[in-house]
Amino acid sequence: MTKYETILFPTDFSESADDALKTALAVARAFGARLHVFHAVVSETPYVVPADGVLAIPSQEGLFAEMERHARAELSRIEGLAADGIVEVTTEARRGDGTVDSILEVATDRGADLIVMSSHGRRGFRRLLLGSVAEELVRRAPCPVLVIRRDPERVPVSPSGRILAAIDFSPHSEQVLSTARSLAANLGRELDLIHVVHLPSASAMAVGTTPFGPVSPAPPESVSYEERTVRARELLEHTFEAVGGPQVESRAVVRSGQPEAEIVAHAEENHASLIVVGTEGHSGVSRLLLGSVCERVLRRAPCPVFVVPHHDQEGS
């Protein structure tokens, strides 16, 4: 059963990050984990051109000192927000050359099992920067990353909604399903296992052998969509039993179309509270495609996305 002992929560002190802190605390509480709140003090030197046209650049040390003073005050505020008498909360601000590198360095130093962060922070250009930080972190992190999206134009998701696990029947699916099952058990949610039959090409599981059992060797064009759907549902149910784990209520869902579109649509239609997806699947081109599916789900999901990294990359 998946267990998280140390959760790293990077923050930029935005309203979006404060909202994400609530989710980080809830996950830490559910797993009995400690929460380490971190702010990367990264140089963002403002270049100010005064009326006389002379470029004014603050000293690097003076800029860092001011940012660190601000960070200490904000971290003190967050300690007050996070104090619940249950979760152990620690805070840290650290200078660094880049936000993602700083987060990864702290994740290693603290032995983080999970990173929780907001996908967007402040408005405008800074918001785009923080969005790119979340995506780069997902690609490089050695541990799972829970990305909390905050969209004022969307109706807030129900915290008790179903968890949706995207299963492509690659070897990495076992990690994705095991993680989703553990999350569902600890958070008290029901679980949907979804596989998308990518038409017009055959589903990844339509022919050959999967890590969870053999399927028909018939050529894809000789297998009808209806038959592939039935096989996919049966294999989802078999996969759930084969992986094992805590008892949770689950159901198998098979849809057809573009994977990221169908995953997001099912999440919206069923008011999902969380999507669990892997970063990589098959080798070669398929691996790259699945990576892009993960990123597109991150950008379009109506709820938080829990990204499970694929560690075994040798030979892929």
Side-chain angles (χ1 to χ4, degrees):
M1 181 173 176
T2 305
K3 183 173 178 57
Y4 305 109
E5 296 182 352
T6 301
I7 297 175
L8 176 63
F9 180 74
T11 178
D12 68 344
F13 308 131
S14 64
E15 182 181 354
S16 181
D18 283 355
D19 281 350
L21 176 63
K22 301 170 187 175
T23 300
L25 282 167
V27 174
R29 201 176 296 121
F31 283 89
R34 67 183 67 89
L35 183 67
H36 188 65
V37 181
F38 170 69
H39 177 73
V41 180
V42 179
S43 177
E44 296 175 333
T45 306
Y47 294 89
V48 181
V49 180
D52 61 8
V54 178
L55 186 63
I57 305 177
S59 73
Q60 188 78 350
E61 183 58 35
L63 180 64
F64 270 119
E66 176 59 25
M67 288 192 295
E68 287 173 334
R69 183 200 64 75
H70 173 70
R72 286 193 297 271
E74 286 293 302
L75 288 173
S76 179
R77 176 184 65 84
I78 287 176
E79 287 177 351
L81 291 176
D84 65 356
I86 300 174
V87 178
E88 177 189 343
V89 179
T90 55
T91 61
E92 177 184 4
R94 184 184 298 190
R95 294 188 187 188
D97 296 325
T99 301
V100 174
D101 287 340
S102 296
I103 293 171
L104 293 175
E105 180 181 90
V106 172
T108 299
D109 292 348
R110 296 286 175 173
D113 307 296
L114 171 65
I115 299 172
V116 180
M117 72 176 299
S118 169
S119 64
H120 294 302
R122 303 180 180 90
R123 297 176 183 273
F125 184 59
R126 176 62 178 167
R127 176 179 177 182
L128 295 177
L129 283 177
L130 192 57
S132 65
V133 165
E135 290 184 12
E136 184 180 352
L137 188 62
V138 162
R139 288 192 290 268
R140 296 176 56 191
C143 62
V145 180
L146 173 56
V147 180
I148 314 297
R149 298 190 69 243
R150 184 177 185 270
D151 189 341
E153 298 180 1
R154 290 184 182 270
V155 176
V157 297
S158 168
S160 60
R162 303 181 73 91
I163 289 177
L164 175 60
I167 305 298
D168 69 342
F169 300 120
S170 69
H172 187 37
S173 292
E174 182 174 353
Q175 290 175 272
V176 174
L177 179 52
S178 178
T179 297
R181 193 165 181 166
S182 181
L183 287 166
N186 280 273
L187 298 174
R189 315 282 174 80
E190 296 181 343
L191 180 63
D192 281 357
L193 314 179
I194 183 170
H195 175 73
V196 180
V197 177
H198 192 180
L199 298 179
S201 62
S203 163
M205 52 68 59
V207 297
T209 302
T210 77
F212 310 103
V215 291
S216 170
E221 59 271 16
S222 70
V223 182
S224 68
Y225 164 70
E226 290 76 14
E227 187 174 355
R228 295 210 303 274
T229 300
V230 169
R231 292 180 183 179
R233 184 170 288 105
E234 290 176 347
L235 193 51
L236 281 173
E237 293 169 350
H238 171 70
T239 300
F240 182 78
E241 296 301 325
V243 168
Q247 288 299 117
V248 296
E249 290 294 323
S250 67
R251 65 184 180 187
V253 177
V254 179
R255 298 176 67 123
S256 63
Q258 292 294 326
E260 67 277 6
E262 295 304 317
I263 291 167
V264 169
H266 183 80
E268 291 176 333
E269 293 163 10
N270 292 272
H271 308 290
S273 60
L274 181 67
I275 297 173
V276 183
V277 65
T279 53
E280 297 177 354
H282 311 290
S283 60
V285 175
S286 294
R287 184 181 111 181
L288 296 177
L289 287 174
L290 191 59
S292 65
V293 166
C294 174
E295 291 184 10
R296 287 194 289 268
V297 168
L298 275 172
R299 294 169 188 165
R300 298 172 56 186
C303 60
V305 179
F306 193 106
V307 183
V308 183
H310 186 200
H311 296 299
D312 184 15
Q313 299 178 16
E314 293 184 7
S316 56

